């Protein structure tokens, strides 16, 4: 064929297709068939017959209608157009996705995939490089893969079957595939709860063998605001916010294949304990606000209903209330839950990286920090001079053309842009976020769209929390150093332009673990001798179920996402070790945690104004190691009397306050025990002036005949001696107490220094983090 004719035909077909949608495709079928027959397809498409075909996923976004046959036909017509015949299309297609969203999987060459990606109704085309069943990453990352050996905690615990997780949150979207009950047995006989009817929530349809309980609590809000606050709310367990659906599906969601966010992070979404049952207690509303009275009632109901684990991604702002203060509803009510053997897991808050901001600090609670996983979404930025940079984004659109890029010299900070900035019209804007709330960026995006801006590049540190970039408006995050280079280009290029690409999903090396900048930090502001947070879990860019407004799965970040990871793991542990107390489960998690990346072995970094190696105030014991927690060897166990007489009394709370929280009369001893002797799986000394001796007791949950030796890594300038140096267990000795004698060599006041005590029998490593601050009295002059 003459090259000019080929180019003419290519132009013609491209032009016709771009002016119509899939719904109009059928009426043009004959014209395209004639045209394609006229052309030599291998020349026209640039495809050689022997080019390798691979499976690609074509994602077309939300369904435009409910006609399944028409959706399927449209998928076949796209393939017919690109491949040249209906027969080739039938041979190529593998799956037609037509229920949750529109799209298909097909065998395509690279050039064919590129052609499809350029079509107007196609959002993304991605290679199908994830061949085995797996979650969209976080559970595999933690070593709880469906393809793991039978000895893995995930399989040994039968995926949490029989365990009930109660979730206090914004409600649940029961129709989500994440809450299907396929393969589940009868509801556990101990369950006493039920599903409560309400607005758009029929228990007969909404609940099943997965979602076995759903209640809502609004009387606290009603008492203060009246019924008008329900104007845009569901007066039922139904979720109008999305937060509760996300957290509950993360903890115990069922297997939901073919999940992604507009094609990103494609895979199977599931919870950590996919066979555990869920009970939702709606205590928060669409605004994201929760009433303490409602929270307490929710926990009270959960205790009565028979939950095994409570997952609470709710907290207070700094400063915190004391444990015995009734305004601290979670601390007060959860004390009673723990007393009934219920493990309570709470998010640590999102006020990091500022010190002493960690929330939900009561020692009977497992408080969770947020870490990243080994997944990123690299997004290419190409300048007009062909230099390229890589940012991070969850942008759901297509690659842009080259667009002018500008920098507001007088309004260089992102939060300074407003609707009068018409200079942004038709341009991509570079701005810097030096300080302030990342959520302000959503306003910046809205402003740019309102004035006709075409894209946004945000220079900030760090760049890993990508929720703010999750939209069809081109928005990309870059580090400050990349932002500075882009700024140089804008200032000195004759006509600065930029092209923004769509992001890709990257898993594994070189992405390593870090503690999120937003994750609230210790030390504990209420009780400095109690280490908080306790543990870290994935909480950055977590994909889970949401109410399906645009897509049934979305990314979210926060310690709210980290807590249900621990809740799911706690459910697995409870399934295998039903007699373990909440303190034993907490100890198993803390003493077996990773301090280095589980895949690379590199130190875990705490992100902040200045990155550093993470310490116990960033991640407690470390990053959760679920399989290690299943076989911890030793645990630091406690019961209700320990919380009362070794914590509440030494804290100096008056007996009437302690009696209120314990709901029984308490008399503290005249000679108060030291709070440092509280039997935690960690040791924090906030003010070491002279030599102190502390006591701990461990319980053997490993082989009956075991011998452990101590390994001490003392904090800088601190001397630690342990007695005895070896612990010998047998059939008659299950518990052993030991002492640590701690002194300082420092002559001046210091900040906190960190170390550890590890008991090992050659198989188990029972590690307790140690945090010590030397502090001498400052005499007045």
């Amino acid at each position: 064929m003459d090259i000019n004719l080929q180019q003419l035909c290519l132009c013609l077909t491209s032009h016709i297709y771009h002016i119509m949608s899939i719904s109009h495709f059928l009426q043009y079928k004959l014209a395209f068939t004639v045209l394609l027959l006229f052309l030599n397809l291998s020349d026209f498409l640039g495809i050689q017959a022997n080019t390798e075909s691979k499976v690609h996923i074509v994602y077309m976004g939300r369904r435009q209608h409910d006609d399944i046959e028409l959706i399927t036909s449209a998928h076949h017509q796209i393939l017919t157009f690109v491949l040249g015949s209906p027969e080739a299309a039938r041979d190529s297609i593998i799956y037609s996705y037509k229920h949750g969203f529109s799209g298909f999987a097909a065998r395509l060459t690279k050039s064919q995939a590129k052609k499809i990606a350029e079509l107007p109704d196609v959002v993304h085309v991605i290679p199908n490089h994830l061949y085995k069943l797996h979650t969209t990453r976080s559970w595999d990352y933690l070593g709880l893969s469906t393809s793991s050996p039978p000895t893995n905690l995930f399989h040994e615990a039968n995926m949490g079957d029989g365990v009930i997780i109660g979730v206090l949150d914004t409600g649940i979207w029961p129709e989500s595939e994440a809450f299907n009950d396929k393969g589940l047995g009868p509801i556990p006989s101990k369950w006493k709860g039920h599903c409560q009817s309400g607005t758009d929530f029929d228990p007969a349809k909404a609940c099943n063998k997965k979602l076995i309980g759903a209640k809502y609590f609004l009387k606290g809000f009603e008492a203060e605001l009246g019924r008008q606050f329900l104007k845009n709310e569901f007066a039922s367990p139904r979720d109008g916010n999305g937060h509760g659906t996300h957290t509950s599906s993360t903890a115990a969601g069922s297997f939901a294949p073919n999940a992604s966010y507009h094609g990103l992070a494609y895979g199977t979404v599931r919870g950590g304990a996919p066979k555990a049952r869920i009970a939702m207690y709606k205590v928060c509303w669409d605004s994201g606000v929760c009433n303490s009275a409602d929270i307490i009632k929710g926990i009270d109901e959960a205790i009565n209903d028979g939950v095994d684990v409570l997952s609470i991604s709710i907290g207070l702002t700094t400063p915190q209330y004391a444990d015995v203060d009734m305004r601290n509803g979670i601390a007060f009510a959860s004390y009673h839950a723990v007393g009934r053997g219920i493990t309570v897991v709470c998010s640590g808050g999102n006020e990091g990286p500022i010190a002493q901001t960690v929330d939900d600090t009561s020692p009977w609670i497992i408080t969770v920090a947020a870490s990243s996983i080994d997944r990123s979404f690299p997004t290419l930025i190409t300048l007009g001079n062909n230099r390229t940079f890589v940012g991070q984004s969850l942008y759901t659109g297509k690659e842009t053309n080259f667009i002018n890029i500008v920098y507001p010299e007088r309004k260089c900070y992102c939060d300074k842009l407003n609707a009068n900035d018409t200079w942004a019209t038709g341009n991509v804007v570079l701005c810097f976020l030096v300080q302030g709330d990342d959520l302000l960026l959503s306003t910046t995006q809205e402003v740019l769209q309102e004035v006709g801006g075409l894209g946004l590049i945000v220079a900030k540190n760090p760049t890993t929390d990508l929720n703010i970039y999750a939209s069809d408006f081109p928005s990309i995050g870059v580090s400050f150093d990349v932002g500075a280079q882009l700024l140089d280009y804008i200032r000195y290029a004759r006509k600065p332009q930029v092209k923004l690409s769509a992001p890709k999903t990257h898993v594994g090396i070189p992405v390593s673990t870090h503690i999120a900048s937003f994750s609230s930090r210790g030390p504990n502001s209420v009780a400095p001798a109690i280490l908080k947070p306790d543990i870290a879990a994935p909480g950055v860019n977590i994909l889970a179920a949401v109410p399906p407004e645009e897509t049934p799965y979305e990314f979210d970040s926060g310690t709210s996402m980290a807590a249900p990871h621990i809740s799911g793991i706690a459910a697995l542990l409870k399934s295998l070790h039903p007699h373990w107390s909440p303190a034993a489960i907490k100890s198993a998690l803390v003493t077996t945690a990773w301090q280095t990346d589980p895949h690379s072995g590199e130190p875990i970094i705490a992100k902040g104004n200045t990155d550093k190696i993470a310490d116990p105030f960033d991640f407690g014991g470390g990053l959760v190691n679920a399989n290690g927690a299943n076989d911890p060897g030793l645990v630091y166990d406690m019961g209700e009397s320990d919380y009362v007489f070794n914590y509440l009394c030494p804290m100096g709370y008056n007996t009437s306050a302690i009696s209120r929280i314990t709901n029984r009369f308490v008399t503290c001893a005249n000679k108060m025990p030291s709070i440092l002797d509280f039997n935690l799986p960690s040791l924090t000394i906030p003010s070491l002036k002279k030599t102190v001796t502390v006591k701990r007791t461990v319980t053997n949950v490993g082989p009956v005949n075991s011998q452990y030796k101590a390994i001490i890594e003392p904090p800088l300038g601190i001397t630690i001696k342990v007695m005895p140096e070896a612990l010998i267990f047998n059939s008659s000795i299950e518990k052993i107490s030991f002492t640590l004698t701690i002194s300082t060599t420092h002559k001046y006041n210091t900040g906190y220094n960190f170390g550890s005590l590890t008991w090992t029998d050659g198989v188990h490593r029972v590690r307790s983090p140690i945090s010590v601050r030397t502090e001498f009295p400052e005499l007045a002059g």
Side-chain angles (χ1 to χ4, degrees), residues 392-412:
Q392 295 282 322
S393 179
L394 296 177
Y395 164 52
T396 59
K398 296 181 180 180
E399 182 177 82
T400 70
N401 295 319
F402 276 101
I403 304 169
N404 292 339
I405 180 172
V406 297
Y407 171 73
E409 295 282 356
R410 294 185 179 180
K411 293 186 176 182
C412 55

Side-chain angles (χ1 to χ4, degrees), residues 79 199 212 320 409 467 477 525 557 602 606 635 658-659 688 779:
L79 284 170
T199 307
I212 63 173
Q320 306 294 310
E409 295 282 356
N467 300 31
S525 61
S557 297
E602 293 294 321
V635 295
I658 296 174
S659 297
L688 180 63
L779 301 177

